[in-house]
mmCIF file of all heavy atoms in Angstrom:
data_model
loop_
_atom_site.group_PDB
_atom_site.id
_atom_site.type_symbol
_atom_site.label_atom_id
_atom_site.label_comp_id
_atom_site.label_asym_id
_atom_site.label_seq_id
_atom_site.Cartn_x
_atom_site.Cartn_y
_atom_site.Cartn_z
ATOM 1 N N ASN O 25 -9.820 5.377 -1.829
ATOM 2 C CA ASN O 25 -10.476 5.562 -3.121
ATOM 3 C C ASN O 25 -10.540 7.036 -3.513
ATOM 4 O O ASN O 25 -11.550 7.518 -4.008
ATOM 5 C CB ASN O 25 -11.883 4.951 -3.107
ATOM 6 C CG ASN O 25 -12.434 4.752 -4.508
ATOM 7 O OD1 ASN O 25 -11.688 4.462 -5.436
ATOM 8 N ND2 ASN O 25 -13.741 4.912 -4.659
ATOM 9 N N GLY O 26 -9.438 7.746 -3.244
ATOM 10 C CA GLY O 26 -9.313 9.120 -3.706
ATOM 11 C C GLY O 26 -9.962 10.179 -2.851
ATOM 12 O O GLY O 26 -9.953 11.361 -3.220
ATOM 13 N N GLN O 27 -10.527 9.796 -1.693
ATOM 14 C CA GLN O 27 -11.152 10.781 -0.817
ATOM 15 C C GLN O 27 -10.693 10.592 0.624
ATOM 16 O O GLN O 27 -10.418 9.470 1.050
ATOM 17 C CB GLN O 27 -12.683 10.665 -0.857
ATOM 18 C CG GLN O 27 -13.307 11.103 -2.160
ATOM 19 C CD GLN O 27 -14.835 11.112 -2.083
ATOM 20 O OE1 GLN O 27 -15.415 11.323 -1.020
ATOM 21 N NE2 GLN O 27 -15.492 10.874 -3.210
ATOM 22 N N ARG O 28 -10.634 11.702 1.372
ATOM 23 C CA ARG O 28 -10.318 11.622 2.798
ATOM 24 C C ARG O 28 -11.547 11.111 3.533
ATOM 25 O O ARG O 28 -12.656 11.599 3.356
ATOM 26 C CB ARG O 28 -9.936 12.996 3.355
ATOM 27 C CG ARG O 28 -8.715 13.595 2.727
ATOM 28 C CD ARG O 28 -7.435 12.880 3.122
ATOM 29 N NE ARG O 28 -6.989 13.181 4.470
ATOM 30 C CZ ARG O 28 -5.931 12.638 5.057
ATOM 31 N NH1 ARG O 28 -5.221 11.730 4.414
ATOM 32 N NH2 ARG O 28 -5.565 12.978 6.274
ATOM 33 N N ARG O 29 -11.329 10.099 4.364
ATOM 34 C CA ARG O 29 -12.451 9.502 5.084
ATOM 35 C C ARG O 29 -12.030 9.238 6.524
ATOM 36 O O ARG O 29 -10.873 8.956 6.808
ATOM 37 C CB ARG O 29 -12.881 8.190 4.417
ATOM 38 C CG ARG O 29 -13.244 8.382 2.939
ATOM 39 C CD ARG O 29 -13.551 7.069 2.259
ATOM 40 N NE ARG O 29 -13.553 7.205 0.815
ATOM 41 C CZ ARG O 29 -14.602 7.528 0.065
ATOM 42 N NH1 ARG O 29 -15.775 7.745 0.638
ATOM 43 N NH2 ARG O 29 -14.506 7.611 -1.250
ATOM 44 N N GLN O 30 -12.990 9.321 7.438
ATOM 45 C CA GLN O 30 -12.735 9.054 8.849
ATOM 46 C C GLN O 30 -12.954 7.574 9.142
ATOM 47 O O GLN O 30 -13.980 7.009 8.759
ATOM 48 C CB GLN O 30 -13.677 9.890 9.736
ATOM 49 C CG GLN O 30 -13.413 11.392 9.698
ATOM 50 C CD GLN O 30 -12.061 11.774 10.278
ATOM 51 O OE1 GLN O 30 -11.285 12.497 9.667
ATOM 52 N NE2 GLN O 30 -11.778 11.282 11.485
ATOM 53 N N VAL O 31 -11.988 6.976 9.827
ATOM 54 C CA VAL O 31 -12.109 5.579 10.229
ATOM 55 C C VAL O 31 -11.687 5.432 11.678
ATOM 56 O O VAL O 31 -11.019 6.305 12.249
ATOM 57 C CB VAL O 31 -11.242 4.645 9.341
ATOM 58 C CG1 VAL O 31 -11.711 4.678 7.895
ATOM 59 C CG2 VAL O 31 -9.760 5.002 9.446
ATOM 60 N N GLN O 32 -12.075 4.322 12.274
ATOM 61 C CA GLN O 32 -11.710 4.019 13.657
ATOM 62 C C GLN O 32 -10.568 3.003 13.680
ATOM 63 O O GLN O 32 -10.589 2.013 12.942
ATOM 64 C CB GLN O 32 -12.916 3.416 14.400
ATOM 65 C CG GLN O 32 -14.097 4.354 14.554
ATOM 66 C CD GLN O 32 -13.850 5.436 15.586
ATOM 67 O OE1 GLN O 32 -13.329 5.159 16.664
ATOM 68 N NE2 GLN O 32 -14.199 6.663 15.251
ATOM 69 N N THR O 33 -9.567 3.261 14.529
ATOM 70 C CA THR O 33 -8.503 2.285 14.743
ATOM 71 C C THR O 33 -8.267 2.166 16.257
ATOM 72 O O THR O 33 -8.899 2.856 17.052
ATOM 73 C CB THR O 33 -7.182 2.670 14.043
ATOM 74 O OG1 THR O 33 -6.589 3.787 14.713
ATOM 75 C CG2 THR O 33 -7.404 3.015 12.586
ATOM 76 N N ALA O 34 -7.338 1.284 16.632
ATOM 77 C CA ALA O 34 -7.030 1.061 18.049
ATOM 78 C C ALA O 34 -5.697 0.328 18.133
ATOM 79 O O ALA O 34 -5.239 -0.271 17.151
ATOM 80 C CB ALA O 34 -8.141 0.232 18.712
ATOM 81 N N PRO O 35 -5.053 0.318 19.303
ATOM 82 C CA PRO O 35 -3.821 -0.464 19.463
ATOM 83 C C PRO O 35 -4.101 -1.958 19.310
ATOM 84 O O PRO O 35 -5.240 -2.403 19.378
ATOM 85 C CB PRO O 35 -3.382 -0.143 20.904
ATOM 86 C CG PRO O 35 -4.132 1.084 21.292
ATOM 87 C CD PRO O 35 -5.412 1.057 20.533
ATOM 88 N N GLY O 36 -3.033 -2.735 19.105
ATOM 89 C CA GLY O 36 -3.167 -4.184 19.057
ATOM 90 C C GLY O 36 -3.601 -4.737 17.723
ATOM 91 O O GLY O 36 -3.966 -5.909 17.612
ATOM 92 N N ILE O 37 -3.590 -3.873 16.673
ATOM 93 C CA ILE O 37 -3.933 -4.315 15.323
ATOM 94 C C ILE O 37 -2.832 -3.869 14.384
ATOM 95 O O ILE O 37 -1.940 -3.109 14.758
ATOM 96 C CB ILE O 37 -5.303 -3.763 14.861
ATOM 97 C CG1 ILE O 37 -5.236 -2.235 14.686
ATOM 98 C CG2 ILE O 37 -6.397 -4.140 15.845
ATOM 99 C CD1 ILE O 37 -6.461 -1.642 14.020
ATOM 100 N N PHE O 38 -2.900 -4.304 13.135
ATOM 101 C CA PHE O 38 -1.882 -3.915 12.161
ATOM 102 C C PHE O 38 -2.094 -2.476 11.716
ATOM 103 O O PHE O 38 -3.199 -2.075 11.387
ATOM 104 C CB PHE O 38 -1.943 -4.852 10.944
ATOM 105 C CG PHE O 38 -0.975 -4.495 9.859
ATOM 106 C CD1 PHE O 38 0.389 -4.593 10.078
ATOM 107 C CD2 PHE O 38 -1.422 -4.057 8.623
ATOM 108 C CE1 PHE O 38 1.300 -4.261 9.083
ATOM 109 C CE2 PHE O 38 -0.528 -3.730 7.616
ATOM 110 C CZ PHE O 38 0.839 -3.834 7.853
ATOM 111 N N SER O 39 -1.016 -1.695 11.732
ATOM 112 C CA SER O 39 -0.986 -0.324 11.218
ATOM 113 C C SER O 39 -2.117 0.560 11.765
ATOM 114 O O SER O 39 -2.895 1.137 10.993
ATOM 115 C CB SER O 39 -1.042 -0.334 9.685
ATOM 116 O OG SER O 39 -0.704 0.924 9.158
ATOM 117 N N PRO O 40 -2.196 0.707 13.103
ATOM 118 C CA PRO O 40 -3.285 1.508 13.667
ATOM 119 C C PRO O 40 -3.157 3.006 13.396
ATOM 120 O O PRO O 40 -4.127 3.739 13.548
ATOM 121 C CB PRO O 40 -3.181 1.217 15.171
ATOM 122 C CG PRO O 40 -1.748 0.865 15.393
ATOM 123 C CD PRO O 40 -1.338 0.124 14.144
ATOM 124 N N ALA O 41 -1.967 3.463 12.973
ATOM 125 C CA ALA O 41 -1.776 4.898 12.761
ATOM 126 C C ALA O 41 -2.275 5.373 11.399
ATOM 127 O O ALA O 41 -2.355 6.576 11.158
ATOM 128 C CB ALA O 41 -0.300 5.262 12.916
ATOM 129 N N GLY O 42 -2.611 4.439 10.517
ATOM 130 C CA GLY O 42 -3.090 4.852 9.204
ATOM 131 C C GLY O 42 -2.757 3.834 8.145
ATOM 132 O O GLY O 42 -2.527 2.658 8.433
ATOM 133 N N LEU O 43 -2.702 4.292 6.909
ATOM 134 C CA LEU O 43 -2.432 3.418 5.766
ATOM 135 C C LEU O 43 -0.940 3.101 5.733
ATOM 136 O O LEU O 43 -0.119 4.002 5.621
ATOM 137 C CB LEU O 43 -2.859 4.131 4.482
ATOM 138 C CG LEU O 43 -3.125 3.291 3.247
ATOM 139 C CD1 LEU O 43 -4.314 2.373 3.474
ATOM 140 C CD2 LEU O 43 -3.384 4.203 2.047
ATOM 141 N N ASP O 44 -0.579 1.815 5.846
ATOM 142 C CA ASP O 44 0.834 1.447 5.794
ATOM 143 C C ASP O 44 1.346 1.517 4.358
ATOM 144 O O ASP O 44 0.573 1.501 3.396
ATOM 145 C CB ASP O 44 1.030 0.047 6.366
ATOM 146 C CG ASP O 44 0.420 -1.007 5.478
ATOM 147 O OD1 ASP O 44 -0.819 -1.094 5.462
ATOM 148 O OD2 ASP O 44 1.166 -1.709 4.771
ATOM 149 N N LYS O 45 2.679 1.556 4.215
ATOM 150 C CA LYS O 45 3.280 1.765 2.891
ATOM 151 C C LYS O 45 2.946 0.636 1.912
ATOM 152 O O LYS O 45 2.678 0.879 0.740
ATOM 153 C CB LYS O 45 4.799 1.896 3.030
ATOM 154 C CG LYS O 45 5.231 3.177 3.715
ATOM 155 C CD LYS O 45 6.751 3.225 3.852
ATOM 156 C CE LYS O 45 7.182 4.487 4.586
ATOM 157 N NZ LYS O 45 8.657 4.518 4.797
ATOM 158 N N GLY O 46 2.976 -0.601 2.401
ATOM 159 C CA GLY O 46 2.689 -1.723 1.513
ATOM 160 C C GLY O 46 1.283 -1.673 0.959
ATOM 161 O O GLY O 46 1.059 -1.874 -0.249
ATOM 162 N N THR O 47 0.316 -1.403 1.818
ATOM 163 C CA THR O 47 -1.079 -1.310 1.376
ATOM 164 C C THR O 47 -1.250 -0.172 0.378
ATOM 165 O O THR O 47 -1.956 -0.314 -0.627
ATOM 166 C CB THR O 47 -2.007 -1.123 2.586
ATOM 167 O OG1 THR O 47 -1.944 -2.296 3.404
ATOM 168 C CG2 THR O 47 -3.448 -0.887 2.160
ATOM 169 N N ALA O 48 -0.585 0.956 0.633
ATOM 170 C CA ALA O 48 -0.667 2.091 -0.295
ATOM 171 C C ALA O 48 -0.133 1.707 -1.668
ATOM 172 O O ALA O 48 -0.716 2.080 -2.700
ATOM 173 C CB ALA O 48 0.106 3.281 0.265
ATOM 174 N N VAL O 49 0.973 0.945 -1.698
ATOM 175 C CA VAL O 49 1.533 0.494 -2.975
ATOM 176 C C VAL O 49 0.545 -0.436 -3.680
ATOM 177 O O VAL O 49 0.276 -0.297 -4.882
ATOM 178 C CB VAL O 49 2.889 -0.215 -2.752
ATOM 179 C CG1 VAL O 49 3.335 -0.953 -4.013
ATOM 180 C CG2 VAL O 49 3.947 0.802 -2.333
ATOM 181 N N LEU O 50 -0.016 -1.387 -2.953
ATOM 182 C CA LEU O 50 -0.982 -2.307 -3.554
ATOM 183 C C LEU O 50 -2.141 -1.545 -4.183
ATOM 184 O O LEU O 50 -2.499 -1.779 -5.347
ATOM 185 C CB LEU O 50 -1.512 -3.276 -2.490
ATOM 186 C CG LEU O 50 -2.547 -4.288 -2.992
ATOM 187 C CD1 LEU O 50 -1.897 -5.352 -3.862
ATOM 188 C CD2 LEU O 50 -3.293 -4.931 -1.832
ATOM 189 N N LEU O 51 -2.714 -0.619 -3.436
ATOM 190 C CA LEU O 51 -3.895 0.097 -3.911
ATOM 191 C C LEU O 51 -3.570 1.007 -5.094
ATOM 192 O O LEU O 51 -4.458 1.334 -5.888
ATOM 193 C CB LEU O 51 -4.518 0.901 -2.762
ATOM 194 C CG LEU O 51 -5.106 0.048 -1.635
ATOM 195 C CD1 LEU O 51 -5.624 0.940 -0.517
ATOM 196 C CD2 LEU O 51 -6.213 -0.867 -2.152
ATOM 197 N N GLU O 52 -2.302 1.383 -5.226
ATOM 198 C CA GLU O 52 -1.908 2.206 -6.370
ATOM 199 C C GLU O 52 -1.915 1.414 -7.673
ATOM 200 O O GLU O 52 -2.190 1.957 -8.741
ATOM 201 C CB GLU O 52 -0.501 2.772 -6.117
ATOM 202 C CG GLU O 52 0.028 3.657 -7.233
ATOM 203 C CD GLU O 52 1.437 4.162 -6.960
ATOM 204 O OE1 GLU O 52 1.947 3.973 -5.843
ATOM 205 O OE2 GLU O 52 2.019 4.754 -7.892
ATOM 206 N N TYR O 53 -1.635 0.112 -7.592
ATOM 207 C CA TYR O 53 -1.417 -0.670 -8.806
ATOM 208 C C TYR O 53 -2.548 -1.617 -9.171
ATOM 209 O O TYR O 53 -2.614 -2.079 -10.310
ATOM 210 C CB TYR O 53 -0.110 -1.462 -8.680
ATOM 211 C CG TYR O 53 1.112 -0.573 -8.810
ATOM 212 C CD1 TYR O 53 1.803 -0.169 -7.673
ATOM 213 C CD2 TYR O 53 1.543 -0.130 -10.048
ATOM 214 C CE1 TYR O 53 2.910 0.662 -7.790
ATOM 215 C CE2 TYR O 53 2.644 0.695 -10.170
ATOM 216 C CZ TYR O 53 3.328 1.087 -9.041
ATOM 217 O OH TYR O 53 4.414 1.918 -9.139
ATOM 218 N N VAL O 54 -3.425 -1.952 -8.241
ATOM 219 C CA VAL O 54 -4.468 -2.930 -8.584
ATOM 220 C C VAL O 54 -5.517 -2.315 -9.514
ATOM 221 O O VAL O 54 -5.856 -1.150 -9.392
ATOM 222 C CB VAL O 54 -5.179 -3.479 -7.315
ATOM 223 C CG1 VAL O 54 -4.281 -4.422 -6.552
ATOM 224 C CG2 VAL O 54 -5.675 -2.351 -6.419
ATOM 225 N N PRO O 55 -6.038 -3.116 -10.451
ATOM 226 C CA PRO O 55 -7.163 -2.647 -11.272
ATOM 227 C C PRO O 55 -8.454 -2.684 -10.454
ATOM 228 O O PRO O 55 -8.499 -3.271 -9.367
ATOM 229 C CB PRO O 55 -7.202 -3.659 -12.413
ATOM 230 C CG PRO O 55 -6.643 -4.906 -11.827
ATOM 231 C CD PRO O 55 -5.614 -4.480 -10.816
#
Side-chain angles (χ1 to χ4, degrees):
N25 197 34
Q27 290 186 29
R28 298 289 285 177
R29 303 175 195 271
Q30 292 295 130
V31 297
Q32 296 287 316
T33 71
I37 67 170
F38 177 66
S39 194
L43 201 65
D44 68 287
K45 291 179 182 177
T47 295
V49 168
L50 179 72
L51 294 177
E52 180 182 351
Y53 287 101
V54 287

